[in-house]
Amino acid sequence: MQIQLVIGEQDSRYLNNLLLFLEKNHMDKLEIFSFSRSDMLQEYFSNRKADVILVDERFGIEAESLKSFGKVAYLCDSVSEPVSDGIRRIAKYKKPDLIYKDILDLYAESGNRGSFQAKAAGTGNMVLVTSFSGGVGASTFAVALAKKYASRGKKTLYLNLETVGSSADFFSGTGNYRFEDVIFALKSQRTDVRLKMESAVRVDKSGVAFFEPCSTAMYMLELTTEDIVRIVDVLELARTYEYVVVDINFQLSKEFLEIMKRMDRVILVADGTETANTKFVRTLQALSILESQTKSNVTGNMSVVYNKFSSSKSSSEIPELRMPVIGKLPPVKHALVHEIVDFMLSRQEIFEKLS
């Protein structure tokens, strides 16, 4: 089924342009009823309801009077406060795709569940990128991998779940919401998490979808392992993306094992330094014990990428490593992060092994 959307707007030109966009791009998800006269809209609601109602602030009907018929919001020429007297206010002259995301967000918060079915487009390949020691460039490689998938025409989501990580260091795109809105949805008993995620996602010029980071990293402390598992499960079931690249801090725990078990591939980034190699070996030993205790196998899906790997004696391969090595990336000195990502992308032989 589709989201039932009712629009009340007296500006016929604006209404026709908005309808044209929604019908062209999102008719598989929306069933739209539009009115340019307030008396006709009131007649409609005499024996019907809707999922989402958008009415112009000058339409002649108080949004408060429509709350019993659906999740309602005002369309406004300009918005100083996003919510006033408990009613959402939406700027009507922004990009229409942002209005569509507002519609999804309103529906997500309406408490209606089970009626909306998104059209599956992806195959749901989940790729986790992490490291057993810090400072080895795992996030940079995760970004490069997401961009490589997108450059091949694959619908790709970069999902940064690091506590203090920021997707804004690598991607930019327009949108109304941040990842904290997803976290709040996870904590709510009424909000549809999948639709909240769809309304919050942004798209970079590279084609990679991402979430704008939380306004403060403190919100990430509210994200539990159970929440992350739920996010991954929602993405897997929705199959909106062909590839989801998960960038996350590694944790040596049974809870984190549950996250890795849901991945199709786990890529470990290492730099080959003596200290990092020691941590790598000790972590693998501990993981082996956890696998035995939980009767699971995550190391079988793991492979290694060496980054910042020097030809000098400062770097060496991990001794007696029994997992595939995808390749080695040399250090890139005196470069900005975007330049490092571009250099990684130039190493075609590495990404060919990850297709």
Side-chain angles (χ1 to χ4, degrees):
M1 295 179 65
Q2 300 163 303
I3 297 173
Q4 289 190 333
L5 170 67
V6 170
I7 304 174
E9 170 60 58
Q10 72 280 358
D11 185 338
S12 59
R13 184 175 180 180
Y14 172 84
L15 180 60
N16 289 336
N17 287 336
L18 179 59
L19 290 175
L20 182 64
F21 171 83
L22 294 175
E23 290 171 357
K24 180 180 179 181
N25 297 280
H26 302 293
M27 278 307 291
D28 60 317
K29 300 178 182 178
L30 300 174
E31 183 180 9
I32 307 173
F33 303 88
S34 61
F35 302 89
S36 58
R37 290 170 44 188
S38 59
D39 59 332
M40 296 300 293
L41 185 142
Q42 289 175 317
E43 173 78 17
Y44 177 86
F45 282 126
S46 64
N47 57 3
R48 299 179 183 89
K49 291 190 175 184
D51 294 317
V52 176
I53 306 166
L54 302 181
V55 290
D56 189 280
E57 59 184 340
R58 298 187 301 273
F59 196 60
I61 297 179
E62 292 294 326
E64 184 70 29
S65 68
L66 299 174
K67 290 175 70 173
S68 61
F69 302 110
K71 188 71 174 181
V72 62
Y74 276 126
L75 289 171
C76 306
D77 290 348
S78 61
V79 175
S80 57
E81 296 181 4
V83 179
S84 179
D85 298 326
I87 304 295
R88 182 91 64 92
R89 306 178 72 83
I90 296 173
K92 60 190 287 187
Y93 293 114
K94 61 187 175 183
K95 291 182 178 180
D97 199 47
L98 296 182
I99 295 177
Y100 168 69
K101 290 192 174 184
D102 284 323
I103 293 167
L104 291 185
D105 196 67
L106 286 163
Y107 182 76
E109 294 182 353
S110 69
N112 296 327
R113 298 190 180 189
S115 62
F116 175 74
Q117 295 293 327
K119 182 170 64 177
T123 54
N125 292 289
M126 310 290 292
V127 182
L128 187 146
V129 180
T130 190
S131 64
F132 294 158
S133 54
V136 300
S139 288
T140 310
F141 183 79
V143 167
L145 181 61
K147 287 191 171 186
K148 176 57 70 174
Y149 287 142
S151 71
R152 293 172 176 167
K154 305 297 183 183
K155 195 169 184 182
T156 304
L157 172 69
Y158 169 76
L159 180 60
N160 190 304
L161 296 175
E162 297 178 300
T163 304
V164 294
S166 175
S167 56
D169 288 339
F170 307 98
F171 302 109
S172 64
T174 57
N176 302 318
Y177 309 104
R178 294 173 171 270
F179 192 66
E180 63 209 57
D181 295 296
V182 176
I183 295 175
F184 298 154
L186 288 163
K187 305 302 180 183
S188 169
Q189 297 300 313
R190 288 179 53 83
T191 305
D192 187 313
V193 175
R194 177 171 58 84
L195 283 179
K196 178 65 75 170
M197 290 171 67
E198 186 173 347
S199 68
V201 78
R202 306 186 185 199
V203 180
D204 180 70
K205 63 182 180 180
S206 65
V208 175
F210 70 100
F211 294 103
E212 189 74 3
C214 297
S215 54
T216 170
M218 291 297 292
Y219 287 130
M220 293 299 290
L221 297 179
E222 300 295 324
L223 196 66
T224 66
T225 302
E226 291 76 13
D227 292 333
I228 295 173
V229 167
R230 188 176 174 194
I231 289 172
V232 171
D233 287 346
V234 166
L235 288 168
E236 178 64 27
L237 288 171
R239 293 185 177 271
T240 304
Y241 301 98
E242 293 173 89
Y243 286 94
V244 177
V245 178
V246 182
D247 181 3
I248 189 170
N249 303 114
F250 178 81
Q251 300 173 36
L252 185 58
S253 67
K254 291 182 180 179
E255 291 75 20
F256 194 77
L257 206 64
E258 288 301 314
I259 298 172
M260 291 193 290
K261 283 163 61 176
R262 285 164 166 76
M263 299 294 134
D264 297 294
R265 183 192 291 266
V266 177
I267 300 173
L268 304 173
V269 181
D271 64 3
T273 59
E274 185 176 0
T275 302
N277 285 356
T278 299
K279 291 180 180 179
F280 197 103
V281 171
R282 288 173 59 81
T283 303
L284 273 187
Q285 290 171 344
L287 264 180
S288 177
I289 295 171
L290 282 178
E291 286 180 321
S292 177
Q293 292 175 345
T294 58
K295 295 181 174 57
S296 56
N297 176 22
V298 297
T299 54
N301 289 332
M302 290 180 173
S303 52
V304 177
V305 170
Y306 287 106
N307 186 40
K308 305 181 183 180
F309 195 86
S310 174
S311 56
S312 68
K313 63 181 181 180
S314 62
S315 296
S316 61
E317 294 188 27
I318 299 165
E320 300 181 6
L321 182 64
R322 295 177 180 175
M323 64 177 60
V325 175
I326 297 169
K328 300 173 183 175
L329 292 161
V332 182
K333 298 180 180 180
H334 313 299
L336 299 174
V337 65
H338 291 286
E339 295 172 330
I340 297 173
V341 170
D342 290 341
F343 171 76
M344 287 180 170
L345 289 170
S346 70
R347 301 296 293 263
Q348 297 288 341
E349 70 280 4
I350 289 179
F351 295 99
E352 288 298 327
K353 298 177 182 179
L354 295 172
S355 58

